[in-house]
């Protein structure tokens, strides 16, 4: 009994070797919180499916160092409070190894804090937002961006507008949160003079409000440049309101990268004749450009692993995020840890 007691004492003093959450000998569990339903879900609901399709392609070809990737998707409806809950669920209930492709500025900034991602050292890979604040490594030490910042985009757009539309008044419609304000600050930094700035709370720009706004802006003399710096569903709503009011030809239309994918706008019911001539910023090649080797490969993967889903820039964005994630996991090596993955991306 003395020997057993001594053995028990020795065992109790050994340090516990905690297993890395979401990683086994055969599997890597990843998580994404994004809008699958609601108005934003109509435009961005394809992202998780596109990522899963790319991961299934990788799994069918040996996985990552012998491990298959499982992506757990939770719907946050593009609501900050729900995003906080769903991200917390991914960490505490689903025990994912890392987050990938979280979508939305206001949603993910709230979720990051609520789920204590910094405290838990959870890799937060390739967020689908250009909010410049996510580049603050003190506040978001485990987050990695992939898109140009909205402030940078707005400065580039400012230069383009001043060069191409000299003398035309400029009106801005932007989302009233970190996303839109980041853009507003970029336009200020780009020294673009604005005749009108309208900020709307997320999900509040109804058809009636869009029509009232366009009716007011139509009083600006000449052919004003109308910059739409919001999500794709809002861009579609504004353009369809202009169709109803017969105001399409009144404005020179410019859309930011978030809301400027022509393929998605067509799917949301905007007429092709309306889109003809609209200028849109983009950080991707066109999703119909088969001459681009990435687009071509993603198209092939989509046909086999994401059957029935139309390939567009939203699918392209999801697959691009998944591809980068696979590269990061490979770079982190066979002994996969959260710290190792973060270091691999940093280096």
């Amino acid at each position: 009994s003395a020997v057993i007691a001594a053995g028990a004492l020795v065992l109790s003093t050994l340090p516990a070797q905690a297993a890395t959450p979401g990683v086994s000998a055969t599997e890597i569990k990843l998580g994404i919180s994004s809008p699958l339903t609601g108005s934003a879900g109509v435009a961005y609901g394809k992202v998780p499916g596109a990522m899963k399709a790319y991961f299934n392609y990788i799994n069918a070809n040996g996985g990552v160092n012998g491990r298959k990737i499982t992506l757990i998707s939770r719907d946050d409806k593009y609501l900050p409070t729900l995003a906080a809950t769903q991200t917390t669920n991914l960490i505490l209930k689903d025990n994912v190894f890392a987050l990938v492709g979280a979508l939305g500025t206001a949603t993910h900034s709230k979720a990051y804090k609520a789920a204590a991602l910094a405290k838990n050292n959870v890799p937060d890979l390739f967020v689908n937002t250009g909010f410049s604040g996510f580049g603050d490594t003190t506040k978001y030490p485990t987050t990695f961006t992939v898109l140009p910042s909205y402030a940078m985009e707005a400065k580039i757009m400012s230069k383009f507008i001043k060069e191409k539309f000299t003398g035309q008044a400029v009106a801005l419609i932007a989302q009233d949160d970190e996303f839109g304000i980041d853009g507003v600050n970029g336009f200020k930094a780009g020294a673009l003079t604005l005749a009108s700035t309208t900020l709307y709370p997320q999900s509040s720009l109804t058809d009636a409000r869009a029509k009232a706004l366009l009716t007011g802006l139509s009083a600006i003399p000449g052919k004003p440049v109308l910059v739409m710096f919001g999500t794709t569903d809002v861009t579609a709503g504004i353009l369809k309101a202009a169709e109803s009011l017969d105001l399409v030809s009144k404005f020179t239309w410019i859309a930011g990268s978030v809301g400027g994918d022509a393929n998605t706008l067509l799917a949301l019911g905007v007429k092709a004749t309306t889109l003809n001539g609209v200028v849109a910023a983009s950080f991707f090649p066109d999703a119909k450009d088969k001459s681009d080797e990435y687009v071509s490969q993603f198209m092939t993967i989509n046909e086999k692993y994401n059957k029935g889903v139309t390939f567009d820039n939203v699918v392209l964005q999801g697959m691009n995020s998944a591809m980068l994630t696979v590269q990061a996991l490979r770079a982190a090596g066979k002994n996969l840890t959260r710290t190792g993955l973060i270091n691999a991306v940093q280096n």
Side-chain angles (χ1 to χ4, degrees), residues 125-144:
L125 303 184
F126 314 127
V127 290
N128 277 314
T129 162
F131 175 49
S132 59
F134 284 130
D136 183 348
T137 56
T138 301
K139 193 172 183 180
Y140 300 101
T142 68
T143 297
F144 296 94

Side-chain angles (χ1 to χ4, degrees), residues 7 42 87 90 105 181-182 209 250 288 292:
V42 174
T87 303
L90 287 169
T105 302
I181 299 301
D182 213 20
R209 290 188 67 181
K250 167 63 181 177
K288 296 185 185 300
D292 183 284

Side-chain angles (χ1 to χ4, degrees), residues 230 232 235 255-262 265 280-281:
T232 313
T235 303
S257 62
V258 172
D261 175 36
L265 291 170

Side-chain angles (χ1 to χ4, degrees), residues 75-339:
D75 182 12
D76 60 31
K77 303 181 188 296
Y78 202 54
L79 299 173
T81 301
L82 185 55
T85 300
Q86 296 291 48
T87 303
T88 301
N89 286 336
L90 287 169
I91 302 304
L92 299 183
K93 292 185 178 181
D94 301 321
N95 294 309
V96 300
F97 170 62
L99 298 178
V100 295
L103 193 145
T105 302
T107 48
H108 193 56
S109 57
K110 188 174 183 68
Y112 190 92
K113 183 177 181 180
L117 300 187
K119 180 181 178 181
N120 292 315
N121 198 38
V122 179
D124 184 26
L125 303 184
F126 314 127
V127 290
N128 277 314
T129 162
F131 175 49
S132 59
F134 284 130
D136 183 348
T137 56
T138 301
K139 193 172 183 180
Y140 300 101
T142 68
T143 297
F144 296 94
T145 60
V146 63
L147 311 181
S149 75
Y150 297 133
M152 182 196 304
E153 179 181 333
K155 288 168 69 176
I156 294 169
M157 291 173 70
S158 297
K159 184 175 186 293
F160 174 81
I161 292 169
K162 287 188 291 184
E163 290 178 353
K164 301 294 183 181
F165 304 105
T166 305
Q168 291 180 235
V170 182
L172 171 65
I173 303 175
Q175 194 165 294
D176 191 10
D177 59 12
E178 293 95 330
F179 160 33
I181 299 301
D182 213 20
V184 169
N185 291 336
F187 287 116
K188 288 180 181 178
L192 181 66
T193 301
L194 297 173
S196 171
T197 300
T198 302
L199 298 178
Y200 61 90
Q202 185 264 323
S203 297
S204 72
L205 199 64
T206 62
D207 179 61
R209 290 188 67 181
K211 287 178 179 177
L213 176 58
L214 290 177
T215 299
L217 293 176
S218 67
I220 298 175
K223 188 173 184 177
V225 175
L226 184 52
V227 180
M228 299 170 288
F229 212 80
T231 54
T232 313
D233 53 313
V234 172
T235 303
I238 293 171
L239 292 174
K240 288 193 287 187
E243 292 171 351
S244 298
L245 297 171
D246 196 23
L247 288 176
V248 173
S249 61
K250 167 63 181 177
F251 302 99
T252 296
W253 302 94
I254 297 183
S257 62
V258 172
D261 175 36
N263 301 312
T264 305
L265 291 170
L266 287 170
L268 292 174
V270 180
K271 296 177 181 177
T273 52
T274 299
L275 288 180
N276 186 23
V278 173
V279 176
S282 179
F283 40 81
F284 280 132
D286 192 292
K288 296 185 185 300
D289 182 8
K290 295 182 180 180
S291 67
D292 183 284
E293 61 181 322
Y294 289 95
V295 173
S296 178
Q297 187 188 31
F298 291 156
M299 278 183 169
T300 301
I301 293 170
N302 190 69
E303 289 172 4
K304 184 172 183 179
Y305 296 98
N306 206 19
K307 292 181 179 178
V309 177
T310 302
F311 188 83
D312 57 20
N313 269 44
V314 176
V315 175
L316 176 60
Q317 184 168 340
M319 289 199 179
N320 189 67
S321 297
M323 180 192 70
L324 292 172
T325 300
V326 169
Q327 297 296 336
L329 291 170
R330 286 173 174 163
K334 293 183 178 180
N335 183 23
L336 198 57
T337 65
R338 285 175 168 173
T339 298

